[in-house]
């Protein structure tokens, strides 16, 4: 499971799209929200959303970071709350897009904003839900808003076992509604329905802070959410056209974006993060757990500054998918020689596969090796392989023969060798 954050706008859109299915007419949600990007025509936007011209507004960045209010990045008043117009919003967004900002040590530009009506309210509730190994947790409080962390002692935590029945879930929620919530039945009813939405759409985290409620009208004023991206084949239709953006200051490189797009279209898992494009240690690792083990081992041996990439290819990717993934890594790896003339190190590793056909995925690696052989030789690459699983003997034999034919130094090992042994050997041989 990979938890992937989504924009506030998309979380609210998903909530509205499934409102009638989960809230049975007990509650109303008047969804008015627009997402603004650098490509948005601000002058034409009111043609599609006339309320922008007739309602007081709130604007804030929608780029996966919190504490926007405390950072001074929420526009909701000039002299008093609720006096912000569309002209004010346009001016403010243009200013914010044009100036770099630093948030948690990351400097970048604000590119995405969410704009909504300003909602006067007296009470601010807090609701959060998170998925854990043995079940889920629900957090409830009558003291939401920007100071919820300072009032965390007033937040009630409820554990929902994974096998709890609907009746048991309702009982746990209703028994634990905070005492200082005025209309406990209404609040509990909303939490129950929201929890069903949370589970069915495979959220791993959901937080509404603050939540305002006026009669049966519900206002999720601030919404943070993460989805289990491995559930896309199950819940993707309900998600709709969803985006998993990089966090602020973490914009994807073209190569990372290409692999991400491949991953989203595949039943396999394809991940790539470029850590140091000038590094000389590159990895092609099968399996998310194995990728962590290899990266940690390289770091433990004192070579973290030379680790160029982090990622995985797993879930039995096709030969074509493997070839495209490996070609992307090889393209990055062979752009420049090491400044001190040291050889580049390629570690092709993994645990013992359960169902991934090692020979098939190695065929994709061999295809890429053949295409990049000249460039790989030019940067002095040395290859170390350790793999086990279905058809591993054939895979190891074929990749060794192919590399030797192409004039690429290679050492291959099977499951009799410890998973990380090739790391220490590669680093010792190529200091």
């Amino acid at each position: 499971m990979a938890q992937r954050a989504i924009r506030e706008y998309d979380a609210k859109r998903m909530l509205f799209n499934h409102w009638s299915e989960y809230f049975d007419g007990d509650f109303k949600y008047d969804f008015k929200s627009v997402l603004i990007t650098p490509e948005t025509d601000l002058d034409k936007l009111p043609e599609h959303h006339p309320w922008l011209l007739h309602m007081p507004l709130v604007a804030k960045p929608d780029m996966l970071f919190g504490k926007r209010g405390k950072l001074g990045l929420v526009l909701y008043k000039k002299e008093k709350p609720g006096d912000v117009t569309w002209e004010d919003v346009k001016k403010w967004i243009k200013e914010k897009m044009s100036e770099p900002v630093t948030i948690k040590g990351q400097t970048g530009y604000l590119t995405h904003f969410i704009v909504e009506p300003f909602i006067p309210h007296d009470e601010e509730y807090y609701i959060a839900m998170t998925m854990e190994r043995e079940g889920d947790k629900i957090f409830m409080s009558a003291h939401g808003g920007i100071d919820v962390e300072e009032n965390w002692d007033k937040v009630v935590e409820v554990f929902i076992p994974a096998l709890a029945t609907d009746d048991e879930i309702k009982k746990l929620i209703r028994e634990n509604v905070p005492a200082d919530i005025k209309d406990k039945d209404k609040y509990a009813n909303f939490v129950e329905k929201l929890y069903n939405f949370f589970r069915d759409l495979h959220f791993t985290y959901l937080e509404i802070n603050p939540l305002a409620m006026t009669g049966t009208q519900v206002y999720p004023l601030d919404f943070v959410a993460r989805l289990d991206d491995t559930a896309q084949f199950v819940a993707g239709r309900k998600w709709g056209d969803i985006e998993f953006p990089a966090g602020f200051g973490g914009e994807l490189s073209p190569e990372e974006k290409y692999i991400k797009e491949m991953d989203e279209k595949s039943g396999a898992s394809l991940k790539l993060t470029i850590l140091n494009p000038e590094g000389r240690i590159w990895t092609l690792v099968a399996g998310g757990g194995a990728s962590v083990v290899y990266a940690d081992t390289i770091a433990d041996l004192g070579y973290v500054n030379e680790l160029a990439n982090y990622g995985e290819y797993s879930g039995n990717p096709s030969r074509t998918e493997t070839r495209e993934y490996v070609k992307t890594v090889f393209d990055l790896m062979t752009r420049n020689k090491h400044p001190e003339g040291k050889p580049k190190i390629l570690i092709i590793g993994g645990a013992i596969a359960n169902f991934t056909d090692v020979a098939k995925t190695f065929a994709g690696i061999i295809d890429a090796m053949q295409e990049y052989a000249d460039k790989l030789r030019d940067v002095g690459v040395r290859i170390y392989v350790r793999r086990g699983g279905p058809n591993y003997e054939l895979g190891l034999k074929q990749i060794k023969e192919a590399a030797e034919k192409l004039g690429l130094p290679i050492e291959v090992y099977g499951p009799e060798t410890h998973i990380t042994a090739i790391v220490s050997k590669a680093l010792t041989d190529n200091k």
Side-chain angles (χ1 to χ4, degrees):
M1 178 189 73
Q3 299 189 31
R4 303 285 293 278
I6 62 174
R7 298 195 191 278
E8 179 176 0
Y9 172 82
D10 284 328
K12 291 179 176 179
R13 174 186 55 79
M14 289 169 61
L15 182 66
F16 175 72
N17 287 345
H18 299 286
W19 191 262
S20 60
E21 179 181 355
Y22 289 94
F23 295 89
D24 302 326
D26 290 357
F27 299 95
K28 299 175 183 178
Y29 176 30
D30 185 18
F31 176 69
K32 287 185 173 68
S33 183
V34 293
L35 179 67
I36 293 175
T37 75
E39 290 74 38
T40 302
D41 188 329
L42 296 179
D43 293 325
K44 290 186 177 180
L45 201 59
E47 295 177 10
H48 304 284
H49 304 279
W51 53 269
L52 289 168
L53 299 177
H54 307 297
M55 302 183 75
L57 302 173
V58 176
K60 54 192 173 182
D62 193 357
M63 297 182 65
L64 312 188
F65 62 85
K67 302 187 186 302
R68 292 168 291 185
K70 291 188 174 182
L71 290 169
L73 292 174
V74 178
L75 177 67
Y76 70 100
K77 70 176 181 178
K78 292 180 292 185
E79 296 180 0
K80 61 180 181 179
D83 63 355
V84 172
T85 67
W86 175 236
E87 290 301 318
D88 298 324
V89 167
K90 288 197 298 182
K91 179 182 177 183
W92 186 77
I93 287 178
K94 288 177 181 178
E95 290 175 352
K96 295 302 177 186
M97 280 187 172
S98 66
E99 56 190 30
V101 296
T102 300
I103 299 169
K104 293 183 178 180
Q106 292 280 351
T107 299
Y109 286 87
L110 300 174
T111 57
H112 290 67
F113 295 80
I114 184 172
V115 180
E116 300 174 311
F118 173 80
I119 305 297
H121 57 280
D122 296 321
E123 296 174 321
E124 295 187 331
Y125 299 116
Y126 176 83
I127 300 176
M129 300 172 181
T130 184
M131 183 174 72
E132 301 191 355
R133 182 179 295 275
E134 303 297 330
D136 301 322
K137 286 183 179 179
I138 299 176
F139 302 86
M140 302 179 286
S141 177
H143 303 274
I146 63 174
D147 294 324
V148 66
E149 292 180 0
E150 286 77 1
N151 292 298
W152 198 251
D153 59 317
K154 299 175 182 176
V155 175
V156 176
E157 177 183 320
V158 184
F159 178 72
I160 308 293
L163 299 179
T165 65
D166 289 345
D167 288 340
E168 290 170 339
I169 292 169
K170 288 182 179 180
K171 186 171 184 289
L172 284 168
I173 291 173
R174 290 186 175 272
E175 287 178 347
N176 288 281
V177 172
D180 47 359
I181 288 180
K182 293 179 180 178
D183 193 334
K184 294 181 178 57
D185 285 339
K186 181 174 73 172
Y187 181 87
N189 188 24
F190 180 75
V191 173
E192 291 165 14
K193 296 176 185 299
L194 185 67
Y195 181 61
N196 290 332
F197 169 77
F198 169 86
R199 288 192 304 175
D200 288 358
L201 273 76
H202 292 263
F203 284 87
T204 59
Y205 182 77
L206 182 157
E207 179 188 72
I208 300 177
N209 179 41
L211 169 74
M213 305 178 79
T214 304
T216 59
Q217 191 71 45
V218 174
Y219 303 99
L221 300 181
D222 211 47
F223 206 132
V224 178
R226 294 193 291 270
L227 296 171
D228 174 6
D229 73 346
T230 62
Q232 190 147 15
F233 285 90
V234 178
R237 188 171 297 177
K238 284 194 169 187
W239 294 350
D241 185 14
I242 198 71
E243 175 193 11
F244 296 114
F248 173 80
E251 288 75 15
L252 299 180
S253 70
E255 295 80 12
E256 290 168 327
K257 190 175 295 185
Y258 176 62
I259 297 302
K260 178 175 177 290
E261 290 170 355
M262 283 181 55
D263 178 66
E264 291 170 353
K265 297 173 184 176
S266 172
S269 178
L270 304 165
K271 304 290 188 291
L272 176 65
T273 299
I274 301 168
L275 303 174
N276 175 15
E278 302 302 320
R280 69 187 187 104
I281 304 170
W282 294 78
T283 62
L284 292 172
V285 180
S291 65
V292 174
V293 171
Y294 278 102
D296 283 351
T297 303
I298 292 168
D300 289 345
L301 292 173
Y303 289 83
V304 67
N305 292 332
E306 295 195 60
L307 179 59
N309 70 308
Y310 174 80
E312 61 150 323
Y313 66 99
S314 61
N316 203 25
S318 68
R319 177 172 180 168
T320 299
E321 290 171 332
T322 306
R323 180 180 68 242
E324 291 303 307
Y325 181 88
V326 176
K327 282 172 59 178
T328 303
V329 174
F330 283 177
D331 181 62
L332 290 161
M333 182 182 187
T334 59
R335 288 180 185 176
N336 299 296
K337 293 182 178 180
H338 190 271
E340 298 177 13
K342 293 181 178 180
K344 297 284 182 82
I345 298 170
L346 176 62
I347 294 173
I348 302 175
I352 301 174
N354 292 318
F355 61 90
T356 295
D357 188 326
V358 175
K360 183 179 73 176
T361 55
F362 274 19
I365 297 175
I366 292 168
D367 291 342
M369 284 171 53
Q370 291 170 339
E371 187 170 337
Y372 277 81
D374 291 341
K375 293 182 177 180
L376 291 168
R377 285 193 299 269
D378 192 46
V379 298
V381 70
R382 296 182 182 177
I383 305 170
Y384 296 80
V385 184
R386 187 274 186 188
R387 195 72 169 104
N391 284 330
Y392 84 88
E393 297 101 332
L394 177 62
L396 292 176
K397 177 177 180 290
Q398 290 176 336
I399 199 169
K400 186 174 189 296
E401 290 176 350
E404 290 175 345
K405 185 176 180 181
L406 295 168
L408 299 172
I410 188 170
E411 296 184 24
V412 300
Y413 302 91
E416 72 283 351
T417 300
H418 188 271
I419 185 172
T420 60
I422 61 170
V423 177
S424 56
K425 180 167 181 52
L427 299 180
T428 300
D429 291 349
N430 300 282
K431 288 184 176 180

